[in-house]
Amino acid sequence: MKSVRHHIAIPHSKPTLGHEEIQFISQTIDSGHIAQGKIVSSFERAMAKNVGTKGAVACSSGTSALHLTLLAMEITSGDEVIFPSYVCSALLNAVQYVGATPVLAEIDPNTWNIDPEDVKKRLSHRTRAVIVPHLFGLAADLKPLISLGVPVIEDCAQAVGATYKGKKVGSMGFAAVFSFYATKVITTGEGGMVLSNSEDVLNRIRDLREYDQKSTYRVGYNYKMTDMQASMGLAQLDRLQGFIRKRRTIAQKYYSGFNSLPFQLPVRDDGHIYYRYVIRLEENSEPHISAMAKKGIECARPVYMPLHRYLKIEGYNRTERIWKKSLSIPIYPSLTENDFNRIIDSVVEVLGNSYRED
Ligand SMILES: *Cc1c(COP(=O)(O)O)cnc(C)c1O
């Protein structure tokens, strides 16, 4: 992309933080206990209760949460793990950490989530898990994936609070990983969590997460969350329903603002939390991302690079087409009415023009 810098008035992502977070964190600082402790445990219990699992283990990131999940499932070299090419490289990293073989799957052209039919074709006697991201806040089609008989790890990094057939995502697979990175739905700056109904897996992850005070030595990790981060997490979780309501309100404005444009808009679904609002164009989105930047609005391809490109594997045509033509526009709770009206006008102008020129 061109390196011309424009003044960005509206960034693509922005955390929603306020006095609640400041208050919770300053209480933790006052308590004198800032590393992993009671507040991390309450954040874990609150997340498990919110999603509906037996328990949770907080970690330093979504990546470390996934790494520990794969370790706890004893997935190792010679094993295969299936996940979509259309996702961030965190998944590929975690699978590589345990030495397993990544097997990339195609996505559904409508939802852009992993395609269960394609997963089925890629199953082998070595398949040990399928990682299922609920991309952009829309639940993937879990039912046919779970019925394949291979453990499903739900990746809820973009979908905390989203539902599938009325049930919260993160409660239906063998385990679920979450991320609380700064740009996610709720944040702790950096952070992650594993949720599961398997006490055995949760206990193993709890054991692997820290290295100190073990009676026998084996390779361990330091993947802990701090009480300072968990304080922010608790404040954010209190606000989650309000965040989701605001995201859905803005999404409705976008649907009506863009209904004259001949482009594919996100799937409408009652369980969608609109972590991202992604439009599929008829052509390469890069020139339009630049045109929006000139108007002070930062847009992006919501997946930086599909994994088959990193791994130099051919044949992911659907993923390739969708990736190139995808345009993600800002959507987050702190956008004002002025902001989203300006976004709508700019998108209609930029994309409307491109359409007429054709
Ligand atoms: C952000 C993200 C991750 C990784 O989480 P980190 O906390 O950045 O390690 C994994 N999967 C998906 C779908 C994500 O969006």
Side-chain angles (χ1 to χ4, degrees):
M1 215 179 284
K2 283 187 218 87
S3 61
V4 193
R5 294 252 165 230
H6 302 284
H7 173 70
I8 293 298
I10 305 178
H12 184 234
S13 306
K14 194 174 171 184
T16 308
L17 301 169
H19 60 88
E20 296 92 335
E21 287 76 14
I22 294 171
Q23 199 186 338
F24 279 37
I25 293 171
S26 65
Q27 278 168 8
T28 302
I29 293 173
D30 284 341
S31 79
H33 193 293
I34 56 171
Q36 180 184 282
K38 286 197 194 108
I39 314 287
V40 167
S41 305
S42 17
F43 185 35
E44 291 171 342
R45 280 194 303 274
M47 276 292 294
K49 182 158 179 260
N50 182 288
V51 173
T53 60
K54 281 198 180 141
V57 184
C59 300
S60 54
S61 69
T63 307
S64 60
L66 184 57
H67 182 195
L68 294 184
T69 303
L70 297 171
L71 284 171
M73 293 170 76
E74 296 179 316
I75 293 174
T76 183
S77 68
D79 295 336
E80 292 176 359
V81 178
I82 303 180
F83 51 100
S85 172
Y86 192 64
V87 75
C88 64
S89 53
L91 279 70
L92 180 58
N93 286 335
V95 169
Q96 306 272 22
Y97 295 162
V98 299
T101 306
V103 176
L104 303 181
E106 269 284 17
I107 48 173
D108 179 301
N110 199 30
T111 64
W112 304 9
N113 275 319
I114 192 166
D115 176 1
E117 282 305 312
D118 192 68
V119 172
K120 204 170 176 179
K121 286 185 214 144
R122 296 179 198 270
L123 287 174
S124 83
H125 65 283
R126 292 173 188 270
T127 312
R128 292 288 318 282
V130 183
I131 309 171
V132 178
H134 303 295
L135 220 58
F136 311 147
L138 175 69
D141 195 6
L142 280 171
K143 204 166 168 235
L145 291 162
I146 289 170
S147 71
L148 294 173
V150 174
V152 163
I153 302 171
E154 291 182 68
D155 179 345
C156 304
Q158 305 191 350
V160 56
T163 57
Y164 175 74
K165 298 186 193 296
K167 282 193 77 180
K168 288 258 174 82
V169 300
S171 65
M172 290 161 277
F174 177 71
V177 295
F178 290 75
S179 166
F180 308 115
Y181 179 62
T183 60
K184 303 295 161 99
V185 183
I186 56 174
T187 181
T188 60
E190 294 274 4
M193 207 177 277
V194 184
L195 272 67
S196 179
N197 288 319
S198 163
E199 296 285 1
D200 178 48
V201 159
L202 293 173
N203 285 334
R204 283 173 194 228
I205 293 171
R206 226 171 259 126
D207 181 41
L208 287 163
R209 164 177 71 169
E210 53 206 86
Y211 59 81
D212 208 9
Q213 300 180 351
K214 309 280 182 196
S215 46
T216 50
Y217 176 77
R218 91 183 136 72
V219 174
Y221 300 84
N222 183 355
Y223 277 174
K224 300 191 291 293
M225 179 182 276
T226 68
D227 271 11
M228 280 193 295
Q229 292 171 305
S231 317
M232 183 184 278
L234 282 167
Q236 291 266 291
L237 189 56
D238 278 351
R239 303 171 71 187
L240 175 61
Q241 269 324 304
F243 286 173
I244 293 174
R245 223 176 296 125
K246 186 77 195 283
R247 286 179 174 279
R248 286 178 173 156
T249 302
I250 299 169
Q252 293 313 317
K253 302 277 180 197
Y254 287 167
Y255 282 122
S256 40
F258 303 146
N259 71 3
S260 64
L261 294 174
F263 301 115
Q264 185 185 329
L265 300 178
V267 169
R268 287 174 191 256
D269 186 285
D270 287 344
H272 205 323
I273 62 156
Y274 301 101
Y275 168 64
R276 295 287 186 223
Y277 192 96
V278 190
I279 303 172
R280 181 172 168 186
L281 308 183
E282 297 292 333
E283 66 248 326
N284 188 336
S285 57
E286 269 187 358
H288 304 293
I289 293 169
S290 302
M292 289 296 289
K294 279 189 196 127
K295 293 180 173 294
I297 299 167
E298 186 185 24
C299 297
R301 283 179 176 164
V303 169
Y304 188 77
M305 179 92 74
L307 304 178
H308 70 271
R309 284 200 158 219
Y310 283 131
L311 297 177
K312 301 185 166 52
I313 313 173
E314 304 265 320
Y316 290 83
N317 299 336
R318 242 185 279 160
T319 297
E320 187 75 16
R321 271 199 302 276
I322 286 167
W323 167 68
K324 274 199 187 133
K325 298 174 179 179
S326 60
L327 179 79
S328 174
I329 65 175
I331 185 165
Y332 37 87
S334 61
L335 285 181
T336 64
E337 192 168 339
N338 250 341
D339 291 334
F340 59 70
N341 284 333
R342 180 172 161 186
I343 293 168
I344 292 171
D345 291 346
S346 304
V347 167
V348 168
E349 205 182 309
V350 166
L351 297 187
N353 281 339
S354 89
Y355 173 56
R356 273 192 296 276
E357 280 164 14
D358 281 351

